[in-house]
Amino acid sequence: MENITPELLEKYFKGLCTPEEEALVIRALTGKNAPPPLPDDKEVFHGMDKRALHDELWKQVQPPTQAKKSIHRWLPLQIAASLLLLAATVGILYQYRATLVATDTQPTPAASRVIQAARGEKIRMTLPDGTIVHLNSGSTLTIPEKFTDTARIVHLSGEAYLEVAKDATRPFSVLTSRTTVRVLGTVFNVKAYPDDTSTIVTVEEGSVRVSDAGGYHILLMRDQGVVCVPNGKPLSAQSVYAANYTAWRHGTLVFKDQPLSEVATTLARWYNVPVHIQNKKLATHRFTGRFNNSPTLAAVLNELSTVMQCQYDLNDKRLILY
């Protein structure tokens, strides 16, 4: 906290600091032992309500109303309160930074829009900042009516391919139930269906920063991906062919050494039909295949049944594999 005085901190909260003083306050409050930094810690502070933070801090350190005392007796309390104010600021900042990895259980902001791609359909949209989003079947994207001046944040449940408009002053964040993906301008895919056991992030262009609920962070570059599983272990980047993970937006189904249980889940989303695997052993058998040009379900099943040496029964209500 060297060179940080209570007067300077008060000046910061009133918005009266010079750029140099403001940078000094931010550097001091984040400190050497702060959590791994975001792309811009200054942006984190600017995203906060300074007046509300100030009031909350002073509620924590303000002494109770007492009978009138001498100025000399009150002066030590002022100094102690100022020191407590600095310590509490750091604690609240850390708590605020931790909330950047959000969960789907958080309340949706009042001024927001919810876009849903039903099972069997896909949606392409352009956000207010120019970002292009492709939303896969069975997915939901929650966006604010208007992005703030300091950040662009959306909530995703399902799968989306995003071409983020470049804006160095406003980082773009995709929040899922397990991860936060943070970028300035790039092209990437996030698969985070609530009934999946993991979240998969893949980068097609540029780079992204992925954070999970366990506090781990990783930077991904082009043709890299990460599988986020809530197991308490550090995140690990993998080299991938990103086009395989984003081919769905062109109507191409790609399966790479996946158990039939996962294949069935994808088919249910794509074709809006419940899928039941009668043979439990069959569910663990693995399948690799590629289907271009928005294939019909019948075409996929013909290939699948041949390769997997299984049979199927398809009617208007459900698909049974056995």
Side-chain angles (χ1 to χ4, degrees):
M1 298 289 178
E2 186 177 358
N3 298 326
I4 299 299
T5 64
E7 291 78 12
L8 179 57
L9 186 62
E10 180 71 12
K11 188 177 178 182
Y12 173 82
F13 281 115
K14 289 181 178 179
L16 302 177
C17 283
T18 65
E20 292 76 14
E21 290 174 330
E22 186 171 296
L24 180 63
V25 172
I26 293 171
R27 284 198 305 271
L29 291 180
T30 52
K32 292 182 180 179
N33 298 318
L38 297 167
D40 188 352
D41 276 313
K42 181 178 178 180
E43 185 274 323
V44 173
F45 263 108
H46 283 181
M48 301 172 72
D49 184 338
K50 292 181 185 177
R51 187 69 259 167
L53 175 60
H54 175 271
D55 293 344
E56 176 63 24
L57 291 171
W58 274 108
K59 280 195 299 183
Q60 296 180 34
V61 300
Q62 195 80 314
T65 303
Q66 299 176 353
K68 185 176 180 182
K69 298 181 183 295
S70 69
I71 295 177
H72 293 293
R73 294 187 64 184
W74 170 236
L75 182 58
L77 289 177
Q78 281 186 309
I79 297 173
S82 297
L83 294 175
L84 285 173
L85 177 62
L86 291 173
T89 300
V90 176
I92 287 181
L93 173 61
Y94 287 0
Q95 294 173 12
Y96 177 81
R97 288 159 64 94
T99 63
L100 289 176
V101 178
T103 68
D104 285 341
T105 60
Q106 289 181 317
T108 301
S112 62
R113 286 196 298 140
V114 178
I115 299 96
Q116 292 182 311
R119 291 192 170 209
E121 74 169 349
K122 298 174 181 63
I123 294 176
R124 181 187 186 277
M125 74 197 83
T126 302
L127 302 187
D129 67 328
T131 292
I132 298 173
V133 179
H134 297 258
L135 204 58
N136 205 351
S137 303
S139 302
T140 300
L141 187 72
T142 303
I143 64 174
E145 291 290 348
K146 182 181 179 181
F147 290 125
T148 69
D149 293 336
T150 57
R152 297 171 289 169
I153 300 175
V154 301
H155 292 74
L156 173 67
S157 175
E159 184 169 17
Y161 173 91
L162 300 98
E163 302 174 54
V164 177
K166 295 184 183 300
D167 187 341
T169 64
R170 295 189 300 169
F172 191 103
S173 297
V174 180
L175 278 61
T176 76
S177 62
R178 301 185 187 95
T179 60
T180 293
V181 183
R182 192 174 175 89
V183 304
L184 294 176
T186 187
V187 180
F188 63 102
N189 193 84
V190 181
K191 186 179 180 214
Y193 285 99
D195 52 350
D196 284 351
T197 58
S198 63
T199 297
I200 302 175
V201 181
T202 311
V203 180
E204 191 167 88
E205 293 180 14
S207 62
V208 306
R209 183 173 184 265
V210 180
S211 305
D212 70 4
Y216 292 106
H217 312 269
I218 195 169
L219 182 68
L220 299 179
M221 310 300 288
R222 180 175 181 174
D223 281 332
Q224 284 189 325
V226 64
V227 178
C228 303
V229 181
N231 58 8
K233 295 182 179 180
L235 301 175
S236 178
Q238 303 172 359
S239 295
V240 299
Y241 181 50
N244 279 341
Y245 293 83
T246 63
W248 61 265
R249 67 190 180 96
H250 299 301
T252 299
L253 264 174
V254 179
F255 301 107
K256 185 178 180 181
D257 194 33
Q258 293 176 243
L260 188 59
S261 57
E262 290 184 9
V263 174
T265 299
T266 299
L267 295 181
R269 291 171 184 153
W270 268 58
Y271 297 103
N272 191 26
V273 57
V275 181
H276 176 64
I277 303 175
Q278 282 189 341
N279 188 332
K280 292 184 179 180
K281 290 184 178 180
L282 182 62
T284 62
H285 292 183
R286 310 187 82 83
F287 175 73
T288 297
R290 184 184 184 95
F291 304 89
N292 299 316
N293 303 319
S294 300
T296 63
L297 178 56
V300 175
L301 291 175
N302 286 336
E303 177 72 16
L304 181 67
S305 61
T306 300
V307 174
M308 301 294 289
Q309 296 183 349
C310 66
Q311 295 180 309
Y312 66 90
D313 182 20
L314 175 63
N315 56 42
D316 293 337
K317 295 184 178 180
R318 64 175 180 172
L319 166 63
I320 300 176
L321 298 171
Y322 57 96

